[in-house]
Amino acid sequence: MPIIRKGARPAGPKPISLALQGGGAHGAFEWGVIDRLLEVEAIEIKAISAASAGAMNAVAVTAGLIEGGPPGARTKMEQLWKAVSQGGGQFLGGNLLGSFGAHWMENNPAYRYLESLTATVSPYDFNPLNYNPLQDILRSQIDFAAIRERSPVALFISATAVRTCEAKVFSACELTAEHVMASACLPAVFHAVDIEGEAYWDGGYLANPPISPLAEADARDVLLVLLNPFVAKTTPKTAADIAARLDEITFNAPLVAELRVVAAVHALVKKGVLKTGPGYQLLRFHMIDADGRLNDLKASSKTNVDWGNLNDLKRRGRAAADEWLKHDFAQVGETSTVDLLKALP
């Protein structure tokens, strides 16, 4: 089974794997979570699986670890998000007005026009030259050659194969800027990203993030960092809120499906129906999610890359990580701190 793996618990810092969900500019919440974790000497990040904005965080952490250990990773993540802010962040959600503020955008006719444009007109028509600022940002900020040659963590970046409807997972040894662009490619905004003759869209459609590859990593504890709420407090009524909730459901679906399988196998093992076998144990799961922490934000905040907004999201992420460290970190290496059957809808 993909959720069981071999290996004894090593001495020293507690090894963990990170599973980073996509979520546009809300990826800055993940930035805050990881920034706080990197301050803890008792934690060693051994693997990262990610999609979309999570993939951007994943390569930034990895490149930074190569350049300067945990402090280097913190610096690299800040540099990447600052470049995103300065670049306008169009690739994070498809509007060209993202840096002017979420509340202003939602009431602006120009924003509404651009929003409807991306919903009704192909990017092959309104963006014929396939302009994508993420390409220049990634190539200027991330040393992909170093990641391919000496990544200190196991990396798993997902993308959606357009023709075959398959979740493709790319590993560290093959990563380029194009792989991350593919993982973050919103089909209503940009042309599909071509990699070796195959076209790819956002990885969040089929693996957000992929869980199974983490079974082969050198850490049995998986920390899920989730951006999209499973449960909405109210029924959306406006067109923008309906579209936003539909996106949340769509991008949560593959993760829910994969974790349901994990939870079912855990339950069968607990009942004694399945045996893990000598030398094998189930992965342990932990969770830091944005539920309740971003509820005051408008749907358009996912495309708001104003530097103040990104830092606010980072602050919220750090606070969430602080709470997790206080209440759950002691159990890492011992037992799961999230009941998947209860946590999933």
Side-chain angles (χ1 to χ4, degrees):
M1 294 298 297
I3 59 167
I4 58 177
R5 63 173 301 279
K6 184 183 297 183
R9 177 184 173 186
K14 294 183 178 182
I16 65 170
S17 295
L18 299 179
L20 307 178
Q21 207 174 39
H26 287 184
F29 176 89
E30 286 177 339
W31 167 28
V33 169
I34 302 167
D35 186 74
R36 179 66 185 94
L37 296 180
L38 288 167
E39 293 178 339
V40 181
E41 293 183 357
I43 292 176
E44 183 179 7
I45 299 172
K46 301 293 289 186
I48 308 176
S49 72
S52 200
M56 294 165 55
N57 283 324
V59 294
V61 169
T62 305
L65 288 172
I66 293 171
E67 295 177 9
R74 296 181 65 204
T75 298
K76 180 60 67 177
M77 293 188 75
E78 179 167 3
Q79 291 173 343
L80 177 66
W81 282 101
K82 186 168 290 186
V84 166
S85 180
Q86 293 171 345
Q90 296 96 317
F91 48 85
L92 290 175
N95 76 79
L96 302 179
L97 302 171
S99 61
F100 288 92
H103 298 289
W104 179 88
M105 287 191 295
E106 293 212 342
N107 297 314
N108 187 277
Y111 170 77
R112 290 299 185 192
Y113 170 73
L114 288 171
E115 185 179 52
S116 63
L117 181 66
T118 59
T120 58
V121 181
S122 167
Y124 293 84
D125 294 325
F126 71 77
N127 185 13
L129 298 180
N130 196 25
Y131 171 66
N132 189 335
L134 181 57
Q135 183 178 63
D136 292 337
I137 290 173
L138 287 170
R139 288 178 175 174
S140 65
Q141 296 293 325
I142 307 298
D143 186 344
F144 283 96
I147 291 177
R148 291 192 299 271
E149 295 167 4
R150 55 182 189 278
S151 175
V153 302
L155 271 182
F156 306 102
I157 304 301
S158 68
T160 298
V162 179
R163 293 189 311 105
T164 59
C165 191
E166 293 178 299
K168 174 67 173 179
V169 179
F170 301 104
S171 58
C173 64
E174 60 187 322
L175 281 186
T176 66
E178 283 68 31
H179 293 96
V180 180
M181 289 171 59
S183 186
C185 178
L186 294 172
V189 184
F190 298 108
H191 302 196
V193 177
D194 184 273
I195 299 175
E196 297 182 352
E198 288 291 339
Y200 292 96
W201 284 338
D202 195 300
Y205 289 113
L206 294 180
N208 193 22
I211 302 300
S212 294
L214 295 177
E216 302 303 320
D218 293 328
R220 288 196 5 242
D221 288 85
V222 177
L223 175 58
L224 304 165
V225 186
L226 307 184
L227 300 179
N228 300 313
F230 288 136
V231 179
K233 289 190 174 182
T234 60
T235 301
K237 301 293 178 63
T238 68
D241 288 344
I242 291 171
R245 184 56 184 160
L246 182 59
D247 279 347
E248 290 172 347
I249 293 171
T250 299
F251 285 115
N252 270 339
L255 177 64
V256 170
E258 192 166 5
L259 290 181
R260 281 188 184 279
V261 174
V262 172
V265 173
H266 274 228
L268 291 173
V269 170
K270 185 176 182 180
K271 292 178 181 179
V273 177
L274 291 179
K275 302 293 184 181
T276 56
Y280 288 84
Q281 294 188 37
L282 294 173
L283 293 175
R284 296 179 287 259
F285 285 88
H286 315 276
M287 184 184 297
I288 297 176
D289 62 45
D291 266 0
R293 301 181 186 277
L294 306 182
N295 289 356
D296 59 313
L297 302 179
K298 298 290 186 180
S300 56
S301 66
K302 286 190 176 182
T303 61
N304 178 10
V305 294
D306 175 80
W307 186 236
N309 182 62
L310 294 180
N311 274 280
D312 176 57
L313 288 163
K314 176 191 177 185
R315 176 187 58 78
R316 297 178 192 224
R318 284 184 58 88
D322 263 329
E323 184 175 325
W324 179 79
L325 288 167
K326 178 179 179 181
H327 296 289
D328 294 336
F329 178 62
Q331 298 304 311
V332 172
E334 302 296 336
T335 186
S336 294
T337 57
V338 59
D339 186 331
L340 294 178
L341 287 175
K342 292 182 179 179
L344 297 176

